[in-house]
C-alpha cells in the first residue's frame, strides 16, 4: 500500500510518500521558524496561512522525487490532532479533497502516535513491547507500548512539557526562538557545576513530571545575575548547561523507573527533544546499565514531519480503518482513545 502523509499540526508543513513494501519513497518539509521568530513563538493564524501556501508545492516536490504520478496512491493520511485547530484544518481539508478526487480513503492520524512510531522508519526498528518517552514542546509522557494503538500512560507532565520549558527558559534569558536548540548550543560552552538546579519530582515515587518549578529556579538565578551585573554570554552558557543537565537527569531517572516498573528492556524516545545529544547519551548509558536498548529516529524525523504520519496512517489503513464524512481536527486527543490494531 502506498500512502501520502500530510503533517500540519503546528509550524512545520510536512509531506511524504510511504510504501508498505518499499519503505519511505520521498519526504519534504518546510519550517516556519523564520516566520514566527520575530514574535518569540508560534502565531496560530500565521501558521495556518503558511500551510495553505506551502502544501501544494511540497506535494508536487514529493511526487516528483518519488517518481510517482500525482494521485497514484492507495490512501491519504493527515494529522488530525492534537495541535492548532486552524493548522489541522488546512491539512485535513487538503487530504480529504485529494482523497475524494483520487477515489481513495483518507484517515486522520494522531500526531503523537506518529512521533511514537517514527523510529519504525529506521533500519533497525524496535520490537514491541517497549517503553516510550514522548518528549516535545507540547508533551512529556511515558507510555507502555504493546502494539500499535495498545498504549498505557505511565506518567506525564503536570504542567510545562520539557520542550516548552526549554523554549521558555531561553526566552527569559533573551535567546531567540526556538529556544531548545539555543539552550543546547550554549550548554556546550557552560562551566560544569557553577549552577545547580532541582530535579523536579525525583525525590518522590511515581512517573509524573513537573518542569514549571525548574523554569522558575532559572528565572530567579538569571535575575540575581543581572542584579549583580553578571549577564554575560558565559553566564548564559553556565545557566544553560545547568538547566539542560537538570532536564536530562530528570528524564533519565523517570525512564529508569519506568523500565524497572514494567520489566521491559527496550526504551524508545520520540519527539523534538529526543534529538538532544545529551539526552540520547544519558538514556543510552542508563539503558545499557540495565542491559537494555535505546531506540530513536534520525534527527530529521524527531521534529514534526510527514514521514511519520504516512507510516502511522499506512499501518491503520492496512488494517481497514478510514475516516467517515467530515474532517477530523482535535486540539486535544488522548492517545488512550485510539483503536488498537490486532497483535
Amino acid at each position: 500500500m502506498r500512502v501520502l502523509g500530510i503533517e500540519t499540526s503546528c509550524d512545520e508543513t510536512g509531506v511524504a510518500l510511504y510504501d508498505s513494501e518499499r519503505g519511505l519513497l520521498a519526504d519534504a518539509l518546510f519550517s516556519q521558524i523564520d516566520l514566527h521568530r520575530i514574535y518569540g513563538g508560534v502565531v496560530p493564524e500565521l501558521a495556518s496561512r503558511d500551510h495553505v501556501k506551502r502544501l501544494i508545492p511540497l506535494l508536487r516536490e514529493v511526487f516528483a522525487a518519488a517518481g510517482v504520478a500525482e494521485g497514484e496512491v492507495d490512501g491519504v493520511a493527515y494529522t488530525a490532532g492534537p495541535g492548532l485547530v486552524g493548522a489541522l484544518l488546512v491539512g485535513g481539508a487538503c487530504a480529504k479533497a485529494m482523497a475524494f478526487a483520487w477515489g481513495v480513503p483518507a484517515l486522520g492520524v494522531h500526531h503523537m502516535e506518529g512521533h511514537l512510531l517514527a523510529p519504525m522508519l529506521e533500519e533497525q526498528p524496535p520490537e514491541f513491547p517497549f517503553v516510550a518517552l514522548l518528549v516535545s514542546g507540547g508533551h512529556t509522557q511515558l507510555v507502555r507500548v504493546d502494539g500499535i494503538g495498545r498504549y498505557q500512560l505511565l506518567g506525564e507532565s503536570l504542567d510545562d512539557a520539557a520542550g516548552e520549558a526549554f523554549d521558555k527558559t531561553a526566552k527569559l534569558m533573551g535567546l531567540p526562538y526556538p529556544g531548545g536548540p539555543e539552550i543546547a548550543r550554549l550548554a556546550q560552552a557552560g562551566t560544569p557545576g557553577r549552577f545547580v538546579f532541582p530535579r523536579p519530582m525525583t525525590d518522590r515515587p511515581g512517573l509524573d513530571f513537573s518542569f514549571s518549578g525548574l523554569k522558575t529556579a532559572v528565572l530567579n538565578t538569571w535575575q540575581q545575575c543581572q542584579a549583580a551585573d553578571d549577564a554575560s554570554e558565559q553566564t548564559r552558557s553556565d545557566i544553560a548547561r545547568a538547566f539542560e543537565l537538570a532536564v536530562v537527569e530528570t528524564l533519565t531517572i523517570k525512564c529508569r523507573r519506568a523500565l524497572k516498573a514494567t520489566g521491559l528492556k527496550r526504551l524508545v524516545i520520540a519527539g523534538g527533544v529526543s534529538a538532544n545529544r545529551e539526552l540520547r547519551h544519558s538514556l543510552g548509558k542508563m539503558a545499557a546499565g540495565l542491559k537494555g536498548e535505546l531506540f530513536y529516529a534520525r534527527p530529521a524525523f524527531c521534529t514534526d514531519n510527514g514521514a511519520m504520519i504516512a507510516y502511522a496512517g499506512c499501518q491503520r489503513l492496512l488494517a481497514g480503518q478510514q475516516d467517515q464524512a467530515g474532517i477530523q481536527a482535535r486540539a486535544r486527543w488522548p492517545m488512550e482513545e485510539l483503536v488498537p490494531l490486532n497483535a
Side-chain angles (χ1 to χ4, degrees), residues 19-318:
D19 189 288
S20 58
E21 296 183 0
R22 298 168 56 195
L24 184 64
L25 303 181
D27 71 286
L29 183 76
F30 182 85
S31 175
Q32 301 176 6
I33 286 177
D34 290 341
L35 175 64
H36 299 287
R37 179 174 283 128
I38 60 174
Y39 302 101
V42 177
V43 181
E45 177 64 20
L46 295 180
S48 301
R49 291 177 180 271
D50 204 64
H51 287 312
V52 174
K53 179 180 179 181
R54 306 295 176 181
L55 263 176
I56 298 303
L58 288 175
L59 285 163
R60 290 172 175 162
E61 177 183 338
V62 164
F63 277 108
V68 174
E70 294 181 19
E72 286 191 356
V73 299
D74 302 300
V76 182
Y78 64 95
T79 303
L84 303 175
V85 171
L88 294 169
L89 285 170
V90 173
C94 182
K96 284 283 190 172
M98 290 186 297
F100 179 79
W102 297 335
V104 298
L107 179 66
V109 171
H110 194 289
H111 180 73
M112 295 311 295
E113 181 172 66
H115 275 304
L116 188 152
L117 297 176
M120 299 296 184
L121 292 164
E122 303 304 318
E123 291 185 5
Q124 295 183 326
E127 296 181 0
F128 300 115
F130 55 78
V131 170
L133 172 66
L134 300 177
V135 57
S136 66
H139 298 81
T140 300
Q141 298 177 326
L142 277 167
V143 182
R144 178 186 173 120
V145 181
D146 291 297
I148 296 178
R150 299 168 61 196
Y151 310 130
Q152 177 189 357
L153 181 64
L154 302 175
E156 62 183 339
S157 179
L158 304 179
D159 40 60
D160 291 352
E164 182 182 6
F166 266 97
D167 288 340
K168 289 182 176 178
T169 296
K171 188 173 183 178
L172 66 87
M173 289 197 295
L175 300 174
Y177 172 86
E182 290 295 322
I183 290 287
R185 179 185 63 80
L186 281 177
Q188 295 179 31
T191 303
R194 180 183 173 189
F195 300 105
V196 178
F197 296 125
R199 278 59 172 159
M201 297 184 69
T202 58
D203 58 349
R204 67 189 74 175
L207 296 173
D208 286 330
F209 303 90
S210 172
F211 293 104
S212 63
L214 174 58
K215 180 187 62 183
T216 301
V218 174
L219 174 61
N220 291 337
T221 299
W222 176 241
Q223 289 177 337
Q224 290 169 8
C225 291
Q226 288 179 308
D229 197 24
D230 182 17
S232 65
E233 187 73 2
Q234 185 60 51
T235 294
R236 280 191 175 92
S237 295
D238 296 344
I239 291 175
R241 185 183 182 97
F243 170 80
E244 182 182 58
L245 183 60
V247 173
V248 166
E249 289 191 356
T250 298
L251 294 173
T252 301
I253 290 168
K254 297 289 185 170
C255 285
R256 182 188 294 112
R257 288 183 186 176
L259 289 173
K260 289 185 174 181
T262 59
L264 299 177
K265 296 295 185 181
R266 286 182 288 270
L267 175 66
V268 168
I269 54 172
V273 182
S274 69
N276 183 280
R277 290 186 296 179
E278 292 299 320
L279 179 61
R280 290 188 177 193
H281 174 75
S282 178
L283 290 177
K285 184 177 179 180
M286 179 274 295
L290 296 177
K291 297 183 179 180
E293 298 176 278
L294 176 66
F295 297 87
Y296 44 77
R298 70 197 76 169
F301 292 162
C302 290
T303 54
D304 296 349
N305 63 87
M308 68 183 192
I309 301 303
Y311 177 84
C314 183
Q315 307 313 305
R316 291 189 171 275
L317 286 165
L318 282 169

